[in-house]
Amino acid sequence: PADSSSAVSATVASEIGLGGGPNAYKLGAIYDFSLNGPLLLSVAGAVAVAGEGLGLHLAPGVRFLAPMEGLPWIPYGSAALAVDLLGENVRTDHTLGLGVKLGGGLQYFFSRELAVAPEVTLTAGVITGEGSSERSFAIDALVSLVYRLP
């Protein structure tokens, strides 16, 4: 895969906080729009389930692909602004999270259009709600199924 065309991805992720075990599980989608060569404008959205609470995740950012001639995989790096709306109860007790997300992974292509992409992201930010705020840090382990648009 030599070109860097636009792509859409379905993702499954597990978030691991500082406490160790999984804090949340996420199901979402990513749209990568080709800007110029290996630089892509990326928008990710997901629904997260954490215990009995739900969360909405949005992360606009950029992705840089580093294709290597003749190999079926492409390493990449990403940077995004993470915006999360979290809540124990969907109608009340909302909490807002803002952070910077940095990540990297590999897209392994089975065909010209279809790939699987494992990725690890680090998010550092602030969670605010109910008159208080605290720092947050999370690691996400994602697996995406990527379809490169024609």
Side-chain angles (χ1 to χ4, degrees):
D3 65 23
S4 303
S5 58
S6 299
V8 64
S9 307
T11 63
V12 177
S14 176
E15 177 185 295
I16 301 168
L18 291 178
N23 288 347
Y25 298 97
K26 297 178 182 177
L27 182 61
I30 302 171
Y31 178 73
D32 291 322
F33 178 76
S34 180
L35 292 174
N36 185 10
L39 187 62
L40 304 171
L41 179 63
S42 182
V43 178
V47 174
V49 177
E52 294 182 15
L54 288 176
L56 299 175
H57 173 76
L58 180 66
V62 294
R63 188 177 300 237
F64 182 81
L65 303 178
M68 298 180 183
E69 194 63 39
L71 295 177
W73 46 272
I74 298 176
Y76 64 90
S78 62
L81 172 66
V83 180
D84 294 301
L85 180 61
L86 313 165
E88 290 297 319
N89 180 329
V90 176
R91 295 189 186 121
T92 62
D93 302 327
H94 291 130
T95 302
L96 179 66
L98 296 173
V100 174
K101 179 182 257 187
L102 301 174
L106 290 173
Q107 292 181 343
Y108 180 82
F109 281 84
F110 297 104
S111 69
R112 182 158 176 75
E113 296 86 17
L114 192 60
V116 65
E119 178 179 1
V120 174
T121 63
L122 306 172
T123 305
V126 173
I127 296 176
T128 63
E130 300 179 18
S132 66
S133 65
E134 62 184 60
R135 293 180 188 170
S136 71
F137 178 82
I139 299 171
D140 283 357
L142 297 86
V143 175
S144 301
L145 184 62
V146 180
Y147 177 72
R148 184 182 294 166
L149 301 173

